Amino acid sequence: MNTFTICLIGLAYYIFIFAISKFASRESREGEYLKTTAPAWLVTLGIVGDSLSGVTYLSVPGTVEQKSFSYLAVCLGYMVGYVIIAYVFLPLYHKKNLVSIYEWIGSELGETAQKTSSLLFVVGRLFGSSARLVLTAGVLHLFVFKAFNLGNEASIIAVTIGISLYTLKSGIKSLIVTDTVQSMVLVLGVLVTTLGIYFFLRSHAVEPIWFRPLMIGETPWTGFIKSFFSGILITLSMTGLDQNIMQKTFSVSSLKSLQTNFIRLGVVVFVVTFIVLLEGSLLGQSLEFYPELKAAANDQKLIYFVLNHQGFIFQLFFLLGLTAATLNSADSVITTVTSSIKVDLLKKSKMSLLQIHWIV
């Protein structure tokens, strides 16, 4: 696929998301930047993209050849973590009708604890999301901006400005809708790409090996336990104690409905991640035909294979999923970091949400 086609697909998708954002935010008020009203299924479906991200989309398939299905133990821990969040964290947060989860910390431990927690979130999320953005925007650099002799900075700046524009006016209100669409596109990209690799193997008369052992390296039981509990702790800290995810849940008025859908969210994330691992297993077999790609970085193996050795339809859906992962890696972070700064750190400041948004 040539550079012009990749640019056209990315631009068309961005215009699509921008239009959805504007439609979702029509007649919105400034207060809806921080909190709005939405059904539980819509909110939790949008969180799927946050839970998967571009790292899962690009990197995990490339690691299966070395690490087998070891990541699956972490995913099982994720599911337990979602159950704990649903029945322990969410009731605590929703009891106080919050905008920021750090308001709850403030009510229990004081204003200093609230500001400290918020500051840690802001710094951690800016660095973490920037790292994911560099990964996915780096793909744009390899296949688009590099052809125009532009540095990696160009792809990062272009993506960041684009995200800022469609989240600028209504924040969380438009995010709930756009993140839902992007989650669906990301999952569709995973499914179609996996099918594409499967058909590639069949066309080369190779019997696909779908499954790999759960653990390698350490003794299976020790490795499983460590990974499983890591998954639980990652979910509790990176989801349950994370403003970026939780702020969206405050838009749901029915706690019971939210809890039910949060359990479903855990199941969906597990299933999609399992499919990503299957994709990685098939990818490892496919790369036997292209030894030069086996030496590529784990987060580049899949994209080089798809864009150089797959048909147009599979390339199209892969690029749409990648674009969704790229935008989704930072759009909600800009909004929720803005919210946390306004609500937790700058309560008495006269700075508007718009000004803080641009600074973030």
Side-chain angles (χ1 to χ4, degrees):
M1 183 176 287
N2 59 46
T3 301
F4 176 76
T5 306
I6 294 173
C7 286
L8 198 61
I9 292 170
L11 182 61
Y13 180 79
Y14 176 77
I15 293 172
F16 171 65
I17 290 296
F18 190 87
I20 289 175
S21 173
K22 290 305 170 188
F23 177 79
S25 62
R26 67 195 189 284
E27 301 178 0
S28 63
R29 301 179 296 276
E30 185 180 31
E32 290 182 296
Y33 185 102
L34 300 172
K35 191 174 183 179
T36 185
T37 302
W41 67 267
L42 188 67
V43 171
T44 50
L45 189 56
I47 296 174
V48 170
D50 284 307
S51 302
L52 296 173
S53 81
V55 176
T56 305
Y57 192 81
L58 283 178
S59 299
V60 171
T63 64
V64 171
E65 196 67 15
Q66 294 86 36
K67 297 184 178 181
S68 191
F69 275 21
S70 57
Y71 189 57
L72 196 62
V74 180
C75 298
L76 288 169
Y78 288 167
M79 293 183 68
V80 176
Y82 281 118
V83 173
I84 296 172
I85 291 170
Y87 292 101
V88 178
F89 287 54
L90 292 180
L92 291 174
Y93 296 150
H94 279 255
K95 193 188 302 180
K96 294 182 180 292
N97 192 29
L98 305 175
V99 169
S100 163
I101 63 172
Y102 307 114
E103 291 180 285
W104 177 81
I105 293 176
S107 69
E108 297 293 322
L109 301 174
E111 187 175 351
T112 301
Q114 178 181 347
K115 289 188 174 182
T116 303
S117 302
S118 176
L119 184 61
L120 288 171
F121 160 71
V122 169
V123 174
R125 265 302 181 174
L126 288 178
F127 275 99
S129 297
S130 296
R132 288 195 294 274
L133 185 61
V134 166
L135 170 66
T136 49
V139 174
L140 290 178
H141 168 68
L142 282 173
F143 291 92
V144 177
F145 290 95
K146 193 174 181 180
F148 299 106
N149 295 317
L150 295 173
N152 199 38
E153 301 86 353
S155 60
I156 296 168
I157 291 170
V159 171
T160 307
I161 290 176
I163 290 169
S164 295
L165 289 175
Y166 78 76
T167 58
L168 185 62
K169 181 182 177 184
S170 57
I172 207 74
K173 183 177 181 181
S174 61
L175 269 181
I176 288 173
V177 179
T178 56
D179 279 4
T180 298
V181 173
Q182 299 201 112
S183 293
M184 293 169 65
V185 172
L186 194 155
V187 171
L188 186 61
V190 168
L191 293 173
V192 175
T193 303
T194 303
L195 284 175
I197 301 174
Y198 169 77
F199 288 130
F200 171 86
L201 289 173
R202 298 297 295 180
S203 68
H204 286 74
V206 175
E207 187 62 35
I209 299 174
W210 288 96
F211 301 99
R212 301 291 176 98
L214 182 61
M215 297 298 299
I216 57 173
E218 302 177 76
T219 61
W221 183 244
T222 304
F224 177 84
I225 291 295
K226 288 170 66 175
S227 299
F228 177 74
F229 280 100
S230 294
I232 296 174
L233 294 174
I234 288 169
T235 305
L236 296 182
S237 60
M238 300 299 291
T239 300
L241 294 174
D242 183 68
Q243 173 70 7
N244 184 52
I245 305 291
M246 290 295 105
Q247 186 174 346
K248 297 172 187 176
T249 69
F250 298 150
S251 300
V252 181
S253 56
S254 171
L255 176 59
K256 186 175 181 180
S257 176
L258 180 60
Q259 288 172 318
T260 302
N261 280 276
F262 225 79
I263 301 301
R264 291 171 181 166
L265 167 66
V267 174
V268 170
V269 170
F270 176 82
V271 170
V272 175
T273 307
F274 184 66
I275 294 172
V276 170
L277 290 170
L278 296 178
E279 177 186 34
S281 181
L282 299 179
L283 177 65
Q285 290 179 266
S286 301
L287 294 186
E288 295 295 333
F289 293 95
Y290 307 101
E292 70 279 4
L293 292 184
K294 297 186 76 172
N298 286 333
D299 54 18
Q300 294 180 6
K301 290 178 181 178
L302 179 62
I303 188 166
Y304 274 120
F305 174 76
V306 172
L307 293 186
N308 292 322
H309 305 292
Q310 290 280 276
F312 178 77
I313 295 298
F314 296 114
Q315 292 176 340
L316 172 64
F317 280 95
F318 173 77
L319 284 172
L320 288 175
L322 177 61
T323 308
T326 303
L327 297 181
N328 201 60
S329 66
D331 59 2
S332 60
V333 174
I334 291 176
T335 299
T336 53
V337 166
T338 297
S339 302
S340 189
I341 291 174
K342 179 67 175 177
V343 174
D344 300 313
L345 300 178
L346 301 177
K347 292 180 182 179
K348 300 176 182 178
S349 173
K350 293 183 179 179
M351 288 183 68
S352 68
L353 286 165
L354 181 64
Q355 290 172 316
I356 300 173
H357 181 105
W358 279 117
I359 291 171
V360 172

